[in-house]
Amino acid sequence: MDQNRRGTVITHPSTTSRPAEPAGAHPAGGAPTLDQVFSATARRYPTRIAVQDGWNQLTYARTDRQAGRLASALVRGGVQLGDPLIVHCGNHRHALVAQLAVLKAGGVCVPAPRTACRGGLPAARQTMARAVLCSRSTYDEDVRGIPSLALDDPATWRKIASAPAEPTLPRSTPEGAAYLLPGRGTDVTGDGRLVDHRSWLRSAADRSRRTGGAPLTVTIDEPPLSPVALAATWWACSTGGTLRTAPWQEDGTWPLTGGHESAAVLTPARYARVLATAAPVRGTPPPRGSAAGPGTVVLIGGPSSRDLVARHFRARPGTRLWAEFAPGGGAVPWTAQELHPHDAARPYALGVGSPVPPVLLRVIGPGGAPLPHGRSGELVAIGPSGLPEDVHHSGWYGHWTPENTLDVTRRRPYADGAGPDVPIRLDEPADYAEMEVM
């Protein structure tokens, strides 16, 4: 795979910690990969639920078995190491099986959520993907010349069952690319980011450590394969937990359900809408992490506002609130901070917190030179080697504060850099829709 053309692999040093993994042992012989961690859990706890998707569910063992069969078919069909494959499924169960299969086959997942693919699958043409793994409801007839496999079609699985098991599986490696994520906009060729297995596991482990432990259940209200759904999926599955998606029947409290062992993952924009409709906890505030709601809410995406923090603690006073600033696909956070009730009363904007190692952040001026504290410029992440091509542009502008945190002031919404700067007023609810970074 031509990494120079498709983007830079986001990695972290091999000496970093691995995820706390109560459900499965690491494979022998070194660092694990995402699919190897999942398979280890499947062997140790085969009947544990991996994904609860409405009324439907998949256990770890069944998911791993289906993914292995699909991976064998992909390899027998000619998929090579590093080949990109589009995953464009209509539900979270098919999406998880497809992602695992691509990783087992040594391919690179190119997630294509429905919301990003109106009018066809541009990623399929941009990446010269070897195949599209989809559902019948997401099949795109405009993608010609690329095989499409509908995972909810019985005929697909009859063909897969006839293929012999591939003895070389799994073919993934810890330092190999796991995902190709779009940067700003939907372009994966110019500003795309290749994220390796170690970085995904590192991100999940860091999130568990920050929030006080791996949750047994991670709840989301997101379409399959969105940036938040990807982050939540691997947070749950890398630690042996369960991913729960929106129920079939309307639930006014979703995703703020469960008890202290659960966590809800949303974007700031989506959480603002949830709080606008969810009933607040009445009477005496329950203990932190009580059954009145999840133990933790994690916001992933753009910056959060003081108003959102105030609304959270009015509605869910016993629930911890963490915010992760995650531009460029939303999977690997650049900064993180825990927000408290007193943050809502600050006389200034909250900012986005401190950098998450090993991410190196800079504020740069028009010429690309780093700016000193207090000077405003674009926020960029620097790859481990520090080479110019390892600079990842966020599209957001801000400055360093004296406390060494980042204060975000505005963003440029155009992927190509054209158009005027758009100021953000983080304490006006009407601007929540503009704050979401996808």
Side-chain angles (χ1 to χ4, degrees), residues 34-356:
L34 292 167
D35 53 291
Q36 289 168 358
V37 168
F38 192 97
S39 295
T41 303
R43 290 190 297 269
R44 189 173 180 183
Y45 300 100
T47 60
R48 181 170 291 179
I49 304 302
V51 56
Q52 181 78 44
D53 194 13
W55 290 332
N56 301 302
Q57 61 186 26
L58 276 179
T59 64
Y60 272 86
R62 184 177 180 186
T63 304
D64 196 59
R65 184 168 59 251
Q66 291 183 350
R69 292 172 180 170
L70 179 55
S72 293
L74 293 174
V75 174
R76 298 282 182 178
V79 170
Q80 303 294 318
L81 294 176
D83 277 350
L85 292 98
I86 307 295
V87 181
H88 183 49
C89 297
N91 64 55
H92 292 272
R93 290 172 289 117
H94 296 150
L96 180 57
V97 170
Q99 291 171 80
L100 279 171
V102 173
L103 299 178
K104 286 176 179 288
V108 178
C109 288
V110 184
R114 275 185 173 183
T115 54
C117 300
R118 299 183 182 93
L121 280 172
R125 290 179 285 272
Q126 293 171 0
T127 62
M128 295 183 291
R130 290 299 301 266
V132 177
L133 306 181
C134 60
S135 305
R136 284 179 288 187
S137 61
T138 58
Y139 173 76
D140 191 343
E141 61 183 10
D142 292 333
V143 180
R144 296 181 174 88
I146 302 176
S148 294
L149 296 177
L151 301 190
D152 57 350
D153 187 346
T156 298
W157 290 102
R158 286 195 295 269
K159 294 178 182 177
I160 290 173
S162 64
E166 173 56 47
T168 63
L169 297 181
R171 305 198 303 174
S172 56
T173 59
E175 68 279 0
Y179 285 80
L180 175 58
L181 303 175
R184 293 168 290 168
T186 59
D187 180 25
V188 294
T189 56
D191 196 33
R193 289 157 169 79
L194 283 165
V195 187
D196 68 11
H197 290 260
R198 295 173 300 177
S199 294
W200 282 95
L201 293 173
R202 162 73 181 235
S203 177
D206 287 347
R207 188 176 294 116
S208 294
R209 185 177 64 251
R210 287 193 299 268
T211 58
L216 297 181
T217 302
V218 178
T219 61
I220 59 172
D221 190 14
E222 284 280 325
L225 302 162
S226 71
V228 169
L230 293 175
T233 295
W234 286 116
W235 189 21
C237 293
S238 68
T239 56
T242 298
L243 177 72
R244 290 190 63 200
T245 69
W248 286 99
Q249 294 180 335
E250 185 174 351
D251 184 349
T253 64
W254 188 266
L256 303 181
T257 58
H260 70 280
E261 76 288 348
S262 67
V265 181
L266 311 92
T267 65
R270 175 59 184 153
Y271 193 41
R273 294 192 291 269
V274 168
L275 290 178
T277 58
V281 177
R282 303 295 183 183
T284 304
R288 170 168 287 188
S290 73
T296 304
V297 169
V298 179
L299 305 179
I300 300 179
S304 300
S305 71
R306 291 171 292 180
D307 176 74
L308 184 58
V309 174
R311 294 166 65 191
H312 165 82
F313 286 106
R314 283 198 302 267
R316 301 285 164 175
T319 300
R320 298 178 68 184
L321 181 63
W322 276 86
E324 297 180 358
F325 178 60
V332 180
W334 290 16
T335 68
Q337 63 177 334
E338 183 172 12
L339 299 171
H340 303 277
H342 63 79
D343 290 319
R346 286 186 185 180
Y348 49 86
L350 298 178
V352 292
S354 301
V356 176

Side-chain angles (χ1 to χ4, degrees), residues 360-366 368-382 396-401 405-407:
L360 303 176
L361 299 182
R362 290 180 182 171
V363 177
I364 63 173
L371 299 176
H373 278 46
R375 292 280 304 279
S376 293
E378 185 184 4
L379 309 180
V380 299
I382 310 297
W396 290 82
Y397 296 79
H399 59 267
W400 290 104
T401 69
T405 62
L406 284 169
D407 184 15

